[in-house]
Amino acid sequence: MTAYQDDIKHFDHVIKEAGSAWNAISPEYAARMKLQNRFKTGLDIAQYTADIMRADMAAYDNDTSQYTQSLGCWHGFIGQQKLIAIKKHFGSTNRKYLYLSGWMIAALRSEFGPLPDQSMHEKTSVPALIAELYTFLRQADARELAGLFHQLDDATDAAKKIDIQAKIDNFTTHVVPIIADIDAGFGNAEATYLLAKKMIEAGACAIQIENQVSDEKQCGHQDGKVTVPHADFLAKINAVRYAFLELGIDNGIIVARTDSLGAGLTKQIAVTDAPGDLGDLYNGFLDGDIINGADDIANGDVVVKANGKLLKPKRLASGLFQFKAGSGVDRVVLDCITSLQNGADLLWIETEKPHVGQIADMVNRIREVVPNAKLVYNNSPSFNWTLNFRQQVFDALQQAGKDVSKYDRAALMSADYDSTELAQEADNRIRTFQADSAREAGIFHHLITLPTYHTAALSTDNLAKEYFGDAGMLGYVAGVQRKEIRQGIACVKHQNMSGSDIGDDHKEYFSGEAALKAGGKHNTMNQF
């Protein structure tokens, strides 16, 4: 007997046990509604997706071609359409996740309006978006299953019924892991713990946290980033772990992000108890002057003993302290090793360009200490991918002694170069970047933080240009609707996508033949 049929049998028993008062309740309809609501709580989702992610991490350790991917989504509908498209094109959601970007929440989901990525938005908007994304993914499940139930009802051939029954019993959910950005924790460790709990309760199985100062937090691709000593960051990692454990998600994932490669400042000097401890190592990166005694100290100067010597760190008018120029890579490596040795599961290294060799150099140093270190990597829209990779190819050709005189390295973004061998090789490297860096630089998960922000702007620009121009209504019909129909985009039937047909089903369940349905023959959606 199938799982679906098992549920029908179960509800048949329950309804009969209740007596004649439940005669109007259909065991089959109850079974359908149960299947359409597989995940009852956000914690159910967090556990289910944590199990998936842990299995994917183990698979990657055995075979680096099994890396994972995600796209950042700023609305539940966007996340839903992404997963519907993935199932349509690939038949599976395996190794495909969602990413929740703090940048996009700040820019698009704050009641203050568009904000910079500086943790200025309401922190409650983070768990709210997680819950919204999973609401839309669960609705995608309900919608697709509803279609299968209708097919089952309409099937007259026994073999066809068996085939549809198998699709119902082996249904692949649209619910996938979300890696959710908690920024720098929105305050102290207690604030981090409280917010992490809300995020996990909403369904997050993986939380990404960065080592910047909460009240000085900047986007990873902006200037002015300020890091915190390791002890402060590790306290927040502990806070997130306690949140997972308290809620019963024992295998929740923590992604520790370091911004040290681009961060030249710290707000505080680390506490140190002995030479060579973490605080001493952190302070050893401070830029400053070695002094001999009190005569070298002016009013208001701060002095710290680091590397066995008295150091007067350089302090800015803002009160922040500078790190030594060129110390970023060493600080990144120390940050990553320390995080993995103190509870983090995955790393995130924010870089200034997409370069496999640069990433691999850092990861190889980390793996000397932690052999199975793995990265989540931001394939950032802040990078000029075309220019970066064309310049990388230019440099490689030049180093190989090839003639590059026909190229202007600074102007390689120009469309004039699009048909050249250099540009074609650069595009090929972009195409294989994820596989190459997964193999050579330990990247387990590739994501693009803000892609749907940019696609929304691009598609809206194209539509506005056509619709308000000479094309008029043809701008919409040819540029949107006709493509939707021909590409099989599910939301061309927007009434169906919004839940109208599911509502009709429920009306029939609840009211029988008296139900007033919206999807009858006069519904214009039937034109599609």
Side-chain angles (χ1 to χ4, degrees):
M1 183 175 288
T2 65
Y4 176 44
Q5 295 299 325
D6 283 343
D7 280 338
I8 294 174
K9 182 178 179 181
H10 165 74
F11 284 119
D12 184 61
H13 174 74
V14 170
I15 291 166
K16 286 178 178 176
E17 285 288 308
S20 60
W22 283 22
N23 282 349
I25 304 298
S26 163
E28 186 160 17
Y29 292 166
R32 291 180 178 188
M33 295 177 77
K34 178 185 176 185
L35 286 174
Q36 288 174 301
N37 187 27
R38 172 180 175 180
F39 301 98
K40 305 301 187 289
T41 70
L43 290 178
D44 291 340
I45 292 172
Q47 186 60 72
Y48 170 77
T49 54
D51 292 342
I52 289 174
M53 208 166 160
R54 289 288 179 179
D56 287 346
M57 290 162 67
Y60 172 82
D61 285 339
N62 292 324
D63 179 359
T64 58
S65 70
Q66 301 299 296
Y67 60 89
T68 57
Q69 299 168 290
S70 66
L71 295 173
C73 297
W74 53 273
H75 192 279
F77 176 73
I78 301 298
Q80 179 197 64
Q81 294 305 300
K82 187 188 103 171
L83 266 298
I84 288 174
I86 287 170
K87 284 193 68 176
K88 180 182 75 172
H89 292 298
F90 304 104
S92 168
T93 60
N94 289 348
R95 306 198 311 277
K96 310 294 192 294
Y97 301 171
L98 286 174
Y99 179 66
L100 184 150
S101 162
W103 192 101
M104 283 210 286
I105 289 180
L108 299 170
R109 300 301 299 263
S110 172
E111 293 185 10
F112 293 104
L115 294 172
D117 183 22
Q118 296 171 353
S119 291
M120 297 165 63
H121 56 278
E122 307 88 344
K123 61 184 179 181
T124 53
S125 59
V126 183
L129 180 53
I130 296 169
E132 177 181 292
L133 284 161
Y134 280 129
T135 295
F136 274 79
L137 295 185
R138 291 164 64 209
Q139 194 262 5
D141 282 359
R143 172 189 162 275
E144 187 174 332
L145 281 165
L148 290 171
F149 295 147
H150 283 286
Q151 291 177 35
L152 187 64
D153 291 339
D154 294 340
T156 56
D157 180 77
K160 183 66 173 177
K161 283 183 177 290
I162 292 172
D163 179 61
I164 298 169
Q165 182 78 63
K167 290 179 180 178
I168 293 171
D169 291 336
N170 298 297
F171 180 78
T172 299
T173 179
H174 296 82
V175 169
V176 296
I178 286 178
I179 297 176
D181 185 2
I182 199 172
D183 284 1
F186 286 87
N188 61 17
E190 175 70 5
T192 302
Y193 153 77
L194 292 171
L195 178 55
K197 281 211 310 178
K198 289 294 185 183
M199 293 168 69
I200 298 162
E201 288 169 342
C205 72
I207 293 177
Q208 166 217 330
I209 186 166
E210 61 203 62
N211 68 336
Q212 290 193 47
V213 177
S214 289
D215 59 352
E216 300 283 352
K217 182 257 189 295
Q218 296 276 21
C219 171
H221 295 279
Q222 291 179 319
D223 202 359
K225 293 183 289 296
V226 182
T227 63
V228 297
H230 296 93
D232 296 43
F233 187 55
L234 296 181
K236 292 187 175 182
I237 288 178
N238 290 339
V240 175
R241 181 62 66 201
Y242 274 113
F244 274 123
L245 295 175
E246 177 182 336
L247 295 172
I249 313 300
D250 296 349
N251 59 347
I253 293 98
I254 298 174
V255 182
R257 168 175 151 179
T258 174
D259 282 287
S260 288
L261 193 62
L265 302 168
T266 183
K267 192 169 187 177
Q268 62 199 96
I269 295 170
V271 174
T272 174
D273 298 317
D277 66 11
L278 271 177
D280 188 48
L281 293 173
Y282 188 82
N283 294 337
F285 291 118
L286 294 170
D287 191 15
D289 300 316
I290 301 300
I291 64 172
N292 296 313
D295 291 342
D296 296 326
I297 304 173
N299 186 54
D301 281 347
V302 173
V303 176
V304 60
K305 190 172 183 180
N307 297 322
K309 298 179 180 179
L310 290 177
L311 176 72
K312 184 170 67 176
K314 292 181 179 178
R315 186 163 59 174
L316 306 180
S318 61
L320 301 173
F321 298 94
Q322 286 182 301
F323 287 116
K324 295 175 185 175
S327 66
V329 171
D330 290 337
R331 286 184 282 124
V332 163
V333 171
L334 180 61
D335 293 345
C336 291
I337 292 171
T338 300
S339 295
L340 290 174
Q341 289 178 332
N342 289 274
D345 302 290
L346 295 168
L347 302 171
W348 174 314
I349 299 174
E350 196 69 76
T351 66
E352 81 288 357
K353 61 181 179 294
H355 193 290
V356 175
Q358 178 198 33
I359 304 164
D361 286 344
M362 291 183 283
V363 172
N364 288 337
R365 288 180 58 185
I366 296 163
R367 284 183 162 179
E368 290 175 5
V369 181
V370 186
N372 69 337
K374 292 181 284 296
L375 267 65
V376 171
Y377 186 72
N378 178 9
N379 293 216
S380 176
S382 293
F383 302 144
N384 185 331
W385 285 78
T386 300
L387 181 60
N388 266 293
F389 275 83
R390 288 183 180 184
Q391 289 180 339
Q392 288 178 38
V393 174
F394 178 96
D395 295 341
L397 291 172
Q398 190 173 58
Q399 290 169 12
K402 301 293 179 64
D403 181 13
V404 292
S405 59
K406 64 180 178 180
Y407 301 110
D408 179 354
R409 189 180 187 278
L412 287 174
M413 185 66 194
S414 171
D416 294 340
Y417 293 118
D418 285 356
S419 60
T420 64
E421 290 184 12
L422 182 147
Q424 292 168 10
E425 172 60 20
D427 281 354
N428 187 57
R429 292 191 184 194
I430 294 170
R431 181 181 63 81
T432 64
F433 173 80
Q434 294 188 338
D436 293 342
S437 54
R439 181 182 63 252
E440 299 173 22
I443 298 179
F444 158 73
H445 185 77
H446 283 278
L447 61 91
I448 307 178
T449 45
L450 321 176
T452 53
Y453 176 90
H454 292 281
T455 55
L458 179 62
S459 61
T460 302
D461 181 84
N462 290 334
L463 176 60
K465 176 185 176 183
E466 297 297 318
Y467 177 74
F468 293 104
D470 293 339
M473 191 57 197
L474 183 61
Y476 173 77
V477 173
V480 181
Q481 189 183 76
R482 192 177 296 163
K483 291 182 178 180
E484 283 183 305
I485 295 170
R486 291 174 176 174
Q487 291 177 217
I489 304 298
C491 72
V492 70
K493 297 184 178 182
H494 46 260
Q495 307 285 11
N496 169 270
M497 184 58 65
S498 70
S500 178
D501 289 349
I502 295 174
D504 274 359
D505 290 342
H506 290 172
K507 290 175 184 178
E508 184 177 350
Y509 298 171
F510 305 155
S511 303
E513 293 182 358
L516 182 63
K517 296 183 181 182
K521 65 180 181 178
H522 297 299
N523 189 318
T524 57
M525 189 175 67
N526 295 328
Q527 296 174 25
F528 301 102

